[in-house]
Amino acid sequence: MVHVREMGAADIEAVSRIRVRGWLAAYADIVPQTYLDAMSVEDDARQRREWFSHPGRTSRDLVALGDRGPAGWICFGPCRSEVPGPGSVGEVYALYVAPDLTGQGIGRALLDEAHAQMKGDGFEASALWVLRDNRRAQHFYERAGYQADGAAQGDVYDGVTLTELRYQCVL
């Protein structure tokens, strides 16, 4: 059983561990290894502390708590790009679950709560970006009601451009 709550400053180290371990597990054969090798929990936590304390921050963070503490993290807020269609759109910026705990409903619990909060904030739809080669994430989001909308963008990792696909769902 997981409990989802707002992330606090005390969760930063655990969230950074989840995020870095999540990157290493999910993107091992997708993102250049040099980029992954350069990641560290310490650097991620330092950046997260700066970002978390920023007074103009419009994003929100939730953590899922399991038996051993934080097991997953989601960050969401207003959509950062123009999305065609009626109504206001929120965006899931990031969602990671501790790799040894995937498949236990933690990611879905985080996504469901983020959707409820976005809807409560007046958003009518949610968008997110997924690396084209990350089939596991695509299937996860499709099971949650997201569909690729045809938009794509490039993101550069150590000089290698990888394609991201935009997905959307109605809240």
Side-chain angles (χ1 to χ4, degrees), residues 23-107:
W23 267 76
L24 297 176
Y27 305 133
D29 296 322
I30 300 171
V31 172
Q33 191 62 44
T34 53
Y35 186 89
L36 297 174
D37 290 345
M39 295 183 81
S40 76
V41 171
E42 296 78 20
D43 288 344
D44 189 85
R46 184 174 36 261
Q47 291 173 347
R48 196 153 312 288
R49 270 188 216 90
E50 289 174 21
W51 170 82
F52 197 74
S53 64
H54 190 272
R57 181 169 69 97
T58 59
S59 61
R60 297 168 76 180
D61 296 88
L62 304 174
V63 292
L65 301 175
D67 296 338
R68 301 176 301 184
W73 162 73
I74 191 168
C75 181
F76 61 97
C79 193
R80 298 172 290 187
S81 61
E82 290 294 318
V83 178
S88 60
V89 180
E91 182 177 351
V92 174
Y93 306 138
L95 169 59
Y96 291 95
V97 172
D100 58 320
L101 298 174
T102 58
Q104 297 182 26
I106 296 167

Side-chain angles (χ1 to χ4, degrees), residues 74 92 95-97 102-112 115 128 130 134-146 167:
I74 191 168
V92 174
L95 169 59
Y96 291 95
V97 172
T102 58
Q104 297 182 26
I106 296 167
R108 187 57 187 260
L110 284 163
L111 191 58
D112 288 348
H115 284 169
L128 53 84
V130 180
N134 190 349
R135 305 302 282 161
R136 184 175 183 168
Q138 291 171 21
H139 292 301
F140 169 78
Y141 291 119
E142 288 165 0
R143 284 191 307 274
Y146 283 82
Y167 278 66

